[in-house]
Amino acid sequence: MTRKCLFGVVIVSLFLCGARSASAATVALLNASYDATREFYRDYNAAFVKYWKAKTGQDVRIEMSHTGSGKEARAVIDGLDADVVSLALAYDIDAIARRTGYLPADWQSRLPNDSSPYSSTIVFLVRKGNPKHIKDWPDLINPGVSVVTPNPKTSGGARWAFLAAWEYALKADGGSEDKARQFVRALYKHVPVLDTGARGSTATFAERGIGDVLLSWENEAYLVINKSAKGQFEIIYPSISIVAQPPVAWLDKNVSRHGTTALAKAYLEYLYSEQGQEIAANHYFRPVKNPTGRYRALPFIKTFTINDAFGGWSSAQKKFFADGGVFDQIYQP
């Protein structure tokens, strides 16, 4: 069976999109994922393929589709024939369930930790020496500061960043809904360009040299640090940020049609295994299972959750990011 490939969605694999069909001895699995997981899934997929071969004798070919989380969800809704999705936030998978019926509404209950095998947060990436002296959220709206962040309409990371900024302003001394609105309005006046996804914003900041600070996934910030010349960039942890929980799910109707149900479930369950958690930690995600402190330790940061601060993603999406919501009201290019 040849899987459907959509124009505008990049399929990253060892095979071209047109060659989706697996041989009789090989089973193909397509994972639709968000921008900032590319390097993680490169290593995880290799580990899972070896694990599955040893366990079942079956050869597996894992293919990846990467773009902004909201854009990736739209691609699946429009026909990208994925077996599993690993997106930046639960709302995007909820949208797939609601619009397509590919998976049940209670999909988050099928895997541990609300189907989020690791977490991350939003940090600031600045240039060598931090020349604009950016230490916390208020510094982002200082005169002359240029901020790089993706478009919340298409990027999950951008939505996490928006909500982190909002909650900071809301809970600051003298904070209120009006002051939070004023703060994020001022913040986006300092944003020169909105890329569609986190990786695009990373390239804008680190490769094109635009901006003084990048609002970044924590793991993405470390990727830039490790790939760049030593000391070229620095990570700043703000006084408070958000617990970002990227979830995963298999798409029941698709895997049933492809004959990959058992494989897709095992692929996602292996994320919670010791090796899966270690690979996540090695890529600067925060594993959900680290009882002995075995994996890489990341700095402590005070955080809040989407449920505690906003009543969950359904409420947050409707208020802030739906057409006509707060973001549309405050953002003027």
PDB file of all heavy atoms in Angstrom, residues 308-326:
ATOM      1  N   ASP A 308      -3.643  23.657  35.324  1.00  0.00           N
ATOM      2  CA  ASP A 308      -3.777  24.522  36.498  1.00  0.00           C
ATOM      3  C   ASP A 308      -3.994  25.983  36.102  1.00  0.00           C
ATOM      4  O   ASP A 308      -4.795  26.694  36.724  1.00  0.00           O
ATOM      5  CB  ASP A 308      -2.527  24.415  37.377  1.00  0.00           C
ATOM      6  CG  ASP A 308      -2.428  23.076  38.085  1.00  0.00           C
ATOM      7  OD1 ASP A 308      -3.453  22.375  38.169  1.00  0.00           O
ATOM      8  OD2 ASP A 308      -1.324  22.725  38.541  1.00  0.00           O
ATOM      9  N   ALA A 309      -3.286  26.439  35.085  1.00  0.00           N
ATOM     10  CA  ALA A 309      -3.335  27.863  34.743  1.00  0.00           C
ATOM     11  C   ALA A 309      -4.485  28.211  33.806  1.00  0.00           C
ATOM     12  O   ALA A 309      -5.058  29.304  33.901  1.00  0.00           O
ATOM     13  CB  ALA A 309      -2.012  28.287  34.107  1.00  0.00           C
ATOM     14  N   PHE A 310      -4.841  27.295  32.913  1.00  0.00           N
ATOM     15  CA  PHE A 310      -5.800  27.649  31.859  1.00  0.00           C
ATOM     16  C   PHE A 310      -6.973  26.681  31.728  1.00  0.00           C
ATOM     17  O   PHE A 310      -7.798  26.843  30.835  1.00  0.00           O
ATOM     18  CB  PHE A 310      -5.071  27.738  30.507  1.00  0.00           C
ATOM     19  CG  PHE A 310      -3.963  28.752  30.504  1.00  0.00           C
ATOM     20  CD1 PHE A 310      -2.640  28.358  30.644  1.00  0.00           C
ATOM     21  CD2 PHE A 310      -4.234  30.103  30.391  1.00  0.00           C
ATOM     22  CE1 PHE A 310      -1.609  29.296  30.645  1.00  0.00           C
ATOM     23  CE2 PHE A 310      -3.221  31.050  30.389  1.00  0.00           C
ATOM     24  CZ  PHE A 310      -1.902  30.633  30.526  1.00  0.00           C
ATOM     25  N   GLY A 311      -7.036  25.681  32.602  1.00  0.00           N
ATOM     26  CA  GLY A 311      -8.140  24.738  32.534  1.00  0.00           C
ATOM     27  C   GLY A 311      -8.046  23.753  31.398  1.00  0.00           C
ATOM     28  O   GLY A 311      -9.044  23.160  30.993  1.00  0.00           O
ATOM     29  N   GLY A 312      -6.832  23.535  30.876  1.00  0.00           N
ATOM     30  CA  GLY A 312      -6.623  22.570  29.803  1.00  0.00           C
ATOM     31  C   GLY A 312      -6.535  23.223  28.438  1.00  0.00           C
ATOM     32  O   GLY A 312      -6.813  24.412  28.257  1.00  0.00           O
ATOM     33  N   TRP A 313      -6.167  22.407  27.443  1.00  0.00           N
ATOM     34  CA  TRP A 313      -5.915  22.936  26.111  1.00  0.00           C
ATOM     35  C   TRP A 313      -7.175  23.374  25.384  1.00  0.00           C
ATOM     36  O   TRP A 313      -7.152  24.318  24.590  1.00  0.00           O
ATOM     37  CB  TRP A 313      -5.144  21.929  25.262  1.00  0.00           C
ATOM     38  CG  TRP A 313      -3.686  22.219  25.297  1.00  0.00           C
ATOM     39  CD1 TRP A 313      -2.708  21.469  25.872  1.00  0.00           C
ATOM     40  CD2 TRP A 313      -3.044  23.380  24.778  1.00  0.00           C
ATOM     41  NE1 TRP A 313      -1.495  22.092  25.744  1.00  0.00           N
ATOM     42  CE2 TRP A 313      -1.669  23.272  25.070  1.00  0.00           C
ATOM     43  CE3 TRP A 313      -3.486  24.510  24.098  1.00  0.00           C
ATOM     44  CZ2 TRP A 313      -0.739  24.239  24.695  1.00  0.00           C
ATOM     45  CZ3 TRP A 313      -2.560  25.470  23.727  1.00  0.00           C
ATOM     46  CH2 TRP A 313      -1.212  25.344  24.024  1.00  0.00           C
ATOM     47  N   SER A 314      -8.271  22.729  25.641  1.00  0.00           N
ATOM     48  CA  SER A 314      -9.502  23.121  24.950  1.00  0.00           C
ATOM     49  C   SER A 314      -9.869  24.561  25.283  1.00  0.00           C
ATOM     50  O   SER A 314     -10.171  25.373  24.396  1.00  0.00           O
ATOM     51  CB  SER A 314     -10.645  22.181  25.336  1.00  0.00           C
ATOM     52  OG  SER A 314     -11.837  22.542  24.664  1.00  0.00           O
ATOM     53  N   SER A 315      -9.803  24.906  26.565  1.00  0.00           N
ATOM     54  CA  SER A 315     -10.123  26.270  26.988  1.00  0.00           C
ATOM     55  C   SER A 315      -9.084  27.264  26.486  1.00  0.00           C
ATOM     56  O   SER A 315      -9.421  28.359  26.009  1.00  0.00           O
ATOM     57  CB  SER A 315     -10.196  26.345  28.519  1.00  0.00           C
ATOM     58  OG  SER A 315     -11.235  25.533  29.016  1.00  0.00           O
ATOM     59  N   ALA A 316      -7.801  26.882  26.576  1.00  0.00           N
ATOM     60  CA  ALA A 316      -6.735  27.790  26.151  1.00  0.00           C
ATOM     61  C   ALA A 316      -6.800  28.054  24.655  1.00  0.00           C
ATOM     62  O   ALA A 316      -6.641  29.198  24.202  1.00  0.00           O
ATOM     63  CB  ALA A 316      -5.379  27.207  26.530  1.00  0.00           C
ATOM     64  N   GLN A 317      -7.037  27.013  23.880  1.00  0.00           N
ATOM     65  CA  GLN A 317      -7.108  27.178  22.426  1.00  0.00           C
ATOM     66  C   GLN A 317      -8.256  28.108  22.043  1.00  0.00           C
ATOM     67  O   GLN A 317      -8.098  29.010  21.204  1.00  0.00           O
ATOM     68  CB  GLN A 317      -7.293  25.813  21.758  1.00  0.00           C
ATOM     69  CG  GLN A 317      -7.414  25.862  20.237  1.00  0.00           C
ATOM     70  CD  GLN A 317      -6.120  26.181  19.530  1.00  0.00           C
ATOM     71  OE1 GLN A 317      -5.035  25.963  20.074  1.00  0.00           O
ATOM     72  NE2 GLN A 317      -6.216  26.679  18.306  1.00  0.00           N
ATOM     73  N   LYS A 318      -9.401  27.893  22.633  1.00  0.00           N
ATOM     74  CA  LYS A 318     -10.567  28.711  22.307  1.00  0.00           C
ATOM     75  C   LYS A 318     -10.340  30.170  22.666  1.00  0.00           C
ATOM     76  O   LYS A 318     -10.678  31.081  21.886  1.00  0.00           O
ATOM     77  CB  LYS A 318     -11.794  28.168  23.047  1.00  0.00           C
ATOM     78  CG  LYS A 318     -13.082  28.929  22.746  1.00  0.00           C
ATOM     79  CD  LYS A 318     -14.267  28.302  23.486  1.00  0.00           C
ATOM     80  CE  LYS A 318     -15.547  29.060  23.189  1.00  0.00           C
ATOM     81  NZ  LYS A 318     -16.720  28.457  23.911  1.00  0.00           N
ATOM     82  N   LYS A 319      -9.759  30.423  23.820  1.00  0.00           N
ATOM     83  CA  LYS A 319      -9.575  31.795  24.280  1.00  0.00           C
ATOM     84  C   LYS A 319      -8.474  32.522  23.520  1.00  0.00           C
ATOM     85  O   LYS A 319      -8.646  33.700  23.137  1.00  0.00           O
ATOM     86  CB  LYS A 319      -9.263  31.803  25.775  1.00  0.00           C
ATOM     87  CG  LYS A 319      -8.988  33.207  26.335  1.00  0.00           C
ATOM     88  CD  LYS A 319      -8.765  33.171  27.843  1.00  0.00           C
ATOM     89  CE  LYS A 319      -8.478  34.572  28.394  1.00  0.00           C
ATOM     90  NZ  LYS A 319      -8.322  34.556  29.882  1.00  0.00           N
ATOM     91  N   PHE A 320      -7.365  31.837  23.293  1.00  0.00           N
ATOM     92  CA  PHE A 320      -6.180  32.546  22.802  1.00  0.00           C
ATOM     93  C   PHE A 320      -5.900  32.367  21.310  1.00  0.00           C
ATOM     94  O   PHE A 320      -5.447  33.310  20.657  1.00  0.00           O
ATOM     95  CB  PHE A 320      -4.951  32.102  23.588  1.00  0.00           C
ATOM     96  CG  PHE A 320      -4.984  32.480  25.037  1.00  0.00           C
ATOM     97  CD1 PHE A 320      -5.309  31.543  26.005  1.00  0.00           C
ATOM     98  CD2 PHE A 320      -4.717  33.776  25.439  1.00  0.00           C
ATOM     99  CE1 PHE A 320      -5.349  31.882  27.348  1.00  0.00           C
ATOM    100  CE2 PHE A 320      -4.752  34.138  26.779  1.00  0.00           C
ATOM    101  CZ  PHE A 320      -5.077  33.195  27.738  1.00  0.00           C
ATOM    102  N   PHE A 321      -6.130  31.183  20.757  1.00  0.00           N
ATOM    103  CA  PHE A 321      -5.588  30.886  19.435  1.00  0.00           C
ATOM    104  C   PHE A 321      -6.623  30.588  18.360  1.00  0.00           C
ATOM    105  O   PHE A 321      -6.264  30.486  17.184  1.00  0.00           O
ATOM    106  CB  PHE A 321      -4.604  29.719  19.530  1.00  0.00           C
ATOM    107  CG  PHE A 321      -3.567  29.916  20.600  1.00  0.00           C
ATOM    108  CD1 PHE A 321      -3.500  29.055  21.687  1.00  0.00           C
ATOM    109  CD2 PHE A 321      -2.686  30.983  20.542  1.00  0.00           C
ATOM    110  CE1 PHE A 321      -2.553  29.238  22.687  1.00  0.00           C
ATOM    111  CE2 PHE A 321      -1.739  31.184  21.536  1.00  0.00           C
ATOM    112  CZ  PHE A 321      -1.669  30.304  22.606  1.00  0.00           C
ATOM    113  N   ALA A 322      -7.889  30.451  18.733  1.00  0.00           N
ATOM    114  CA  ALA A 322      -8.933  30.278  17.725  1.00  0.00           C
ATOM    115  C   ALA A 322      -9.079  31.567  16.923  1.00  0.00           C
ATOM    116  O   ALA A 322      -8.631  32.641  17.353  1.00  0.00           O
ATOM    117  CB  ALA A 322     -10.252  29.902  18.400  1.00  0.00           C
ATOM    118  N   ASP A 323      -9.683  31.473  15.765  1.00  0.00           N
ATOM    119  CA  ASP A 323      -9.912  32.675  14.959  1.00  0.00           C
ATOM    120  C   ASP A 323     -10.682  33.705  15.771  1.00  0.00           C
ATOM    121  O   ASP A 323     -11.735  33.394  16.353  1.00  0.00           O
ATOM    122  CB  ASP A 323     -10.692  32.318  13.692  1.00  0.00           C
ATOM    123  CG  ASP A 323      -9.856  31.513  12.707  1.00  0.00           C
ATOM    124  OD1 ASP A 323      -8.621  31.468  12.882  1.00  0.00           O
ATOM    125  OD2 ASP A 323     -10.438  30.936  11.775  1.00  0.00           O
ATOM    126  N   GLY A 324     -10.143  34.914  15.836  1.00  0.00           N
ATOM    127  CA  GLY A 324     -10.765  35.968  16.615  1.00  0.00           C
ATOM    128  C   GLY A 324     -10.393  35.967  18.078  1.00  0.00           C
ATOM    129  O   GLY A 324     -10.881  36.801  18.844  1.00  0.00           O
ATOM    130  N   GLY A 325      -9.519  35.027  18.499  1.00  0.00           N
ATOM    131  CA  GLY A 325      -9.106  34.933  19.893  1.00  0.00           C
ATOM    132  C   GLY A 325      -8.092  36.017  20.258  1.00  0.00           C
ATOM    133  O   GLY A 325      -7.816  36.931  19.483  1.00  0.00           O
ATOM    134  N   VAL A 326      -7.528  35.877  21.454  1.00  0.00           N
ATOM    135  CA  VAL A 326      -6.649  36.924  21.976  1.00  0.00           C
ATOM    136  C   VAL A 326      -5.475  37.188  21.038  1.00  0.00           C
ATOM    137  O   VAL A 326      -5.118  38.345  20.797  1.00  0.00           O
ATOM    138  CB  VAL A 326      -6.142  36.541  23.381  1.00  0.00           C
ATOM    139  CG1 VAL A 326      -5.045  37.501  23.834  1.00  0.00           C
ATOM    140  CG2 VAL A 326      -7.295  36.537  24.381  1.00  0.00           C
TER     141      VAL A 326
END
